[in-house]
Amino acid sequence: MTSLACELHCLLNKKERFTFPFDKFKLPKNGIYIIFEKGESFGKMDRIVRIGTHTGENQLRSRLMQHFVKENKNRSIFRKNIGRSLLRKDDPHHPYAEKGEYDTTSREGKQKYAHLLDVNFEKALEKRISEYIQQNLSFVVFEVKTKDDRLFWESRIISTLSNAAKAGEIKPSENWLGSYSPNEKIRESGLWLVNELYK
Protein backbone atom coordinates (compact mmCIF):
# COMPACT_ATOMS: atom_id res chain seq x y z
CA MET A 1 0.00 0.00 0.00
CA THR A 2 1.30 3.46 -0.91
CA SER A 3 1.88 5.72 2.09
CA LEU A 4 0.22 9.13 2.46
CA ALA A 5 3.66 10.78 2.31
CA CYS A 6 4.37 9.07 -1.01
CA GLU A 7 0.94 10.01 -2.40
CA LEU A 8 1.51 13.65 -1.39
CA HIS A 9 4.90 13.72 -3.11
CA CYS A 10 3.45 12.10 -6.26
CA LEU A 11 0.61 14.61 -6.40
CA LEU A 12 2.68 17.71 -5.70
CA ASN A 13 5.65 16.77 -7.88
CA LYS A 14 3.26 16.74 -10.87
CA LYS A 15 2.04 20.31 -10.38
CA GLU A 16 3.40 23.29 -12.32
CA ARG A 17 6.78 24.22 -10.82
CA PHE A 18 7.95 27.78 -10.26
CA THR A 19 11.57 28.88 -9.96
CA PHE A 20 13.12 32.31 -9.52
CA PRO A 21 12.46 34.65 -11.25
CA PHE A 22 8.74 33.86 -11.35
CA ASP A 23 5.70 35.80 -12.51
CA LYS A 24 3.74 36.39 -9.32
CA PHE A 25 0.61 37.13 -11.34
CA LYS A 26 0.50 33.46 -12.37
CA LEU A 27 -0.03 32.55 -8.72
CA PRO A 28 -3.41 32.47 -6.99
CA LYS A 29 -4.05 35.23 -4.47
CA ASN A 30 -4.87 32.76 -1.70
CA GLY A 31 -3.41 29.32 -1.18
CA ILE A 32 -0.70 27.01 0.08
CA TYR A 33 2.85 26.76 -1.25
CA ILE A 34 5.07 23.68 -1.24
CA ILE A 35 8.84 24.16 -1.53
CA PHE A 36 11.44 21.76 -2.96
CA GLU A 37 15.22 22.07 -2.65
CA LYS A 38 17.98 21.00 -5.05
CA GLY A 39 19.71 17.82 -3.98
CA GLU A 40 16.79 16.64 -1.85
CA SER A 41 14.90 13.59 -3.04
CA PHE A 42 12.27 11.13 -1.90
CA GLY A 43 12.66 8.03 -4.02
CA LYS A 44 12.81 9.30 -7.60
CA MET A 45 10.87 12.46 -6.73
CA ASP A 46 11.92 15.84 -5.37
CA ARG A 47 11.55 15.95 -1.60
CA ILE A 48 9.25 18.54 -0.02
CA VAL A 49 11.22 20.71 2.43
CA ARG A 50 8.65 23.32 3.44
CA ILE A 51 4.90 23.86 3.45
CA GLY A 52 3.50 27.30 4.07
CA THR A 53 0.56 29.63 3.73
CA HIS A 54 -0.63 33.06 4.83
CA THR A 55 -3.29 34.35 7.20
CA GLY A 56 -4.15 37.69 5.56
CA GLU A 57 -6.59 37.86 2.66
CA ASN A 58 -4.96 37.78 -0.82
CA GLN A 59 -1.42 37.54 0.62
CA LEU A 60 0.03 34.39 -0.99
CA ARG A 61 2.00 36.32 -3.62
CA SER A 62 3.32 38.75 -1.03
CA ARG A 63 4.40 35.89 1.24
CA LEU A 64 6.41 34.21 -1.51
CA MET A 65 8.02 37.53 -2.43
CA GLN A 66 9.07 37.92 1.22
CA HIS A 67 10.82 34.55 1.02
CA PHE A 68 12.40 34.83 -2.43
CA VAL A 69 13.00 38.52 -3.04
CA LYS A 70 12.72 40.90 -0.08
CA GLU A 71 16.00 40.94 1.80
CA ASN A 72 14.67 41.13 5.34
CA LYS A 73 15.05 37.92 7.34
CA ASN A 74 13.04 39.44 10.19
CA ARG A 75 9.96 39.40 7.93
CA SER A 76 10.41 35.73 7.00
CA ILE A 77 11.24 33.06 9.57
CA PHE A 78 12.12 30.86 6.60
CA ARG A 79 14.83 33.31 5.49
CA LYS A 80 16.03 33.59 9.07
CA ASN A 81 16.37 29.81 9.36
CA ILE A 82 18.33 29.66 6.09
CA GLY A 83 20.62 32.41 7.40
CA ARG A 84 21.17 30.62 10.72
CA SER A 85 22.16 27.45 8.87
CA LEU A 86 24.49 29.27 6.47
CA LEU A 87 26.34 30.88 9.39
CA ARG A 88 26.71 27.60 11.25
CA LYS A 89 27.83 25.81 8.12
CA ASP A 90 30.64 28.39 7.88
CA ASP A 91 31.49 27.95 11.55
CA PRO A 92 29.52 25.95 14.18
CA HIS A 93 30.44 28.68 16.69
CA HIS A 94 30.10 31.65 14.36
CA PRO A 95 30.64 34.84 16.37
CA TYR A 96 27.71 36.57 14.63
CA ALA A 97 25.20 33.75 15.16
CA GLU A 98 23.77 35.19 18.37
CA LYS A 99 23.30 38.64 16.80
CA GLY A 100 21.43 37.03 13.94
CA GLU A 101 18.69 36.18 16.44
CA TYR A 102 17.95 39.84 17.14
CA ASP A 103 14.66 41.04 15.70
CA THR A 104 14.80 44.68 14.63
CA THR A 105 11.44 44.70 12.85
CA SER A 106 9.64 46.67 15.58
CA ARG A 107 10.61 50.13 16.76
CA GLU A 108 11.35 48.67 20.18
CA GLY A 109 13.59 46.03 18.61
CA LYS A 110 15.49 48.66 16.62
CA GLN A 111 16.12 50.75 19.72
CA LYS A 112 17.30 47.71 21.65
CA TYR A 113 19.47 45.97 19.05
CA ALA A 114 20.28 48.18 16.04
CA HIS A 115 23.52 49.54 17.56
CA LEU A 116 24.78 45.98 18.12
CA LEU A 117 24.45 44.91 14.51
CA ASP A 118 27.04 45.13 11.75
CA VAL A 119 25.04 46.70 8.91
CA ASN A 120 27.46 45.59 6.18
CA PHE A 121 27.56 42.01 7.50
CA GLU A 122 23.74 41.97 7.67
CA LYS A 123 23.48 43.11 4.04
CA ALA A 124 26.00 40.51 2.92
CA LEU A 125 24.13 37.78 4.82
CA GLU A 126 20.78 38.84 3.33
CA LYS A 127 22.35 38.63 -0.13
CA ARG A 128 23.67 35.12 0.59
CA ILE A 129 20.23 34.04 1.82
CA SER A 130 18.60 35.39 -1.36
CA GLU A 131 21.18 33.71 -3.58
CA TYR A 132 20.70 30.37 -1.84
CA ILE A 133 16.92 30.53 -2.05
CA GLN A 134 16.81 31.78 -5.63
CA GLN A 135 19.35 29.24 -6.89
CA ASN A 136 18.26 26.16 -4.95
CA LEU A 137 14.54 26.34 -4.25
CA SER A 138 11.45 25.81 -6.38
CA PHE A 139 7.79 25.63 -5.45
CA VAL A 140 4.26 24.67 -6.43
CA VAL A 141 1.06 26.28 -5.23
CA PHE A 142 -2.58 25.36 -4.98
CA GLU A 143 -5.49 27.65 -4.34
CA VAL A 144 -7.28 27.53 -0.98
CA LYS A 145 -9.61 30.47 -0.58
CA THR A 146 -10.40 30.69 3.13
CA LYS A 147 -7.98 31.19 6.03
CA ASP A 148 -9.47 28.33 8.07
CA ASP A 149 -9.10 25.88 5.18
CA ARG A 150 -5.54 27.05 4.47
CA LEU A 151 -4.48 26.53 8.09
CA PHE A 152 -6.28 23.17 8.23
CA TRP A 153 -4.55 21.75 5.15
CA GLU A 154 -1.15 23.29 5.92
CA SER A 155 -1.19 21.61 9.33
CA ARG A 156 -2.27 18.22 7.93
CA ILE A 157 0.39 18.20 5.21
CA ILE A 158 3.16 19.21 7.63
CA SER A 159 2.07 16.57 10.13
CA THR A 160 1.86 13.84 7.49
CA LEU A 161 5.38 14.52 6.21
CA SER A 162 6.99 15.04 9.62
CA ASN A 163 5.47 11.81 10.96
CA ALA A 164 6.82 9.99 7.90
CA ALA A 165 10.25 11.47 8.67
CA LYS A 166 9.95 10.38 12.31
CA ALA A 167 9.19 6.84 11.11
CA GLY A 168 12.28 6.90 8.89
CA GLU A 169 10.36 6.90 5.61
CA ILE A 170 11.68 10.31 4.53
CA LYS A 171 15.26 11.44 5.11
CA PRO A 172 17.21 14.54 4.14
CA SER A 173 20.40 14.14 2.15
CA GLU A 174 23.76 14.10 3.94
CA ASN A 175 24.49 17.58 2.59
CA TRP A 176 21.15 19.22 3.40
CA LEU A 177 21.70 22.78 4.61
CA GLY A 178 19.06 22.34 7.33
CA SER A 179 21.34 19.82 9.04
CA TYR A 180 23.37 22.83 10.22
CA SER A 181 20.35 24.49 11.81
CA PRO A 182 20.59 25.29 15.54
CA ASN A 183 16.95 24.19 15.76
CA GLU A 184 16.63 20.50 16.58
CA LYS A 185 13.11 20.31 15.09
CA ILE A 186 14.40 21.36 11.67
CA ARG A 187 17.29 18.90 11.79
CA GLU A 188 15.10 15.98 12.91
CA SER A 189 12.09 16.58 10.64
CA GLY A 190 14.06 17.40 7.50
CA LEU A 191 11.70 20.35 7.04
CA TRP A 192 12.32 24.08 7.26
CA LEU A 193 9.58 24.20 9.90
CA VAL A 194 9.12 24.11 13.66
CA ASN A 195 5.32 24.33 14.02
CA GLU A 196 2.59 21.75 13.30
CA LEU A 197 5.07 18.86 13.39
CA TYR A 198 4.15 15.30 14.43
CA LYS A 199 0.43 15.89 14.96
Side-chain angles (χ1 to χ4, degrees):
M1 191 171 98
T2 307
S3 72
L4 286 175
C6 187
E7 286 188 36
L8 271 173
H9 276 84
C10 288
L11 178 69
L12 295 167
N13 267 265
K14 289 175 185 172
K15 288 189 68 63
E16 180 182 5
R17 189 77 64 95
F18 294 90
T19 56
F20 182 85
F22 54 87
D23 181 357
K24 67 178 183 179
F25 296 107
K26 286 188 175 180
L27 307 176
K29 292 181 179 179
N30 295 289
I32 291 174
Y33 62 85
I34 307 289
I35 291 181
F36 303 93
E37 190 169 349
K38 274 185 188 172
E40 296 304 307
S41 59
F42 176 53
K44 294 182 179 179
M45 299 175 284
D46 292 336
R47 183 174 76 82
I48 296 166
V49 297
R50 182 178 171 87
I51 302 95
T53 189
H54 55 99
T55 53
E57 188 70 13
N58 300 325
Q59 293 298 307
L60 177 62
R61 296 169 181 174
S62 173
R63 193 69 185 130
L64 285 161
M65 294 299 280
Q66 284 175 349
H67 292 332
F68 277 80
V69 180
K70 294 180 181 172
E71 297 191 337
N72 183 352
K73 60 183 167 39
N74 291 322
R75 290 282 181 195
S76 163
I77 188 63
F78 183 35
R79 285 183 66 90
K80 183 169 261 193
N81 282 325
I82 296 276
R84 289 167 172 158
S85 297
L86 286 170
L87 286 179
R88 284 169 174 80
K89 186 177 182 182
D90 292 344
D91 177 355
H93 307 289
H94 199 290
Y96 203 83
E98 186 180 331
K99 292 181 181 178
E101 302 300 314
Y102 299 158
D103 188 346
T104 55
T105 306
S106 67
R107 195 162 81 177
E108 185 182 286
K110 279 180 186 166
Q111 290 173 345
K112 189 173 182 181
Y113 299 120
H115 68 286
L116 301 172
L117 300 177
D118 180 333
V119 177
N120 291 328
F121 186 89
E122 288 279 315
K123 284 181 180 175
L125 178 58
E126 290 285 5
K127 189 167 182 57
R128 279 187 72 193
I129 294 168
S130 290
E131 285 174 353
Y132 185 85
I133 289 174
Q134 292 168 6
Q135 292 171 13
N136 292 283
L137 304 183
S138 60
F139 65 93
V140 300
V141 293
F142 57 95
E143 186 174 43
V144 185
K145 291 186 177 178
T146 69
K147 175 184 171 182
D148 287 347
D149 283 347
R150 288 194 297 273
L151 295 176
F152 176 91
W153 287 111
E154 177 196 39
S155 175
R156 296 314 187 278
I157 296 168
I158 291 170
S159 295
T160 299
L161 297 180
S162 59
N163 279 316
K166 192 174 185 180
E169 183 186 356
I170 303 175
K171 293 179 181 176
S173 70
E174 288 183 11
N175 300 316
W176 184 51
L177 180 63
S179 299
Y180 295 93
S181 173
N183 194 304
E184 188 178 6
K185 288 182 177 180
I186 290 174
R187 297 194 308 269
E188 287 186 349
S189 68
L191 297 167
W192 290 107
L193 293 160
V194 296
N195 296 322
E196 306 302 324
L197 301 171
Y198 314 120
K199 291 187 177 179

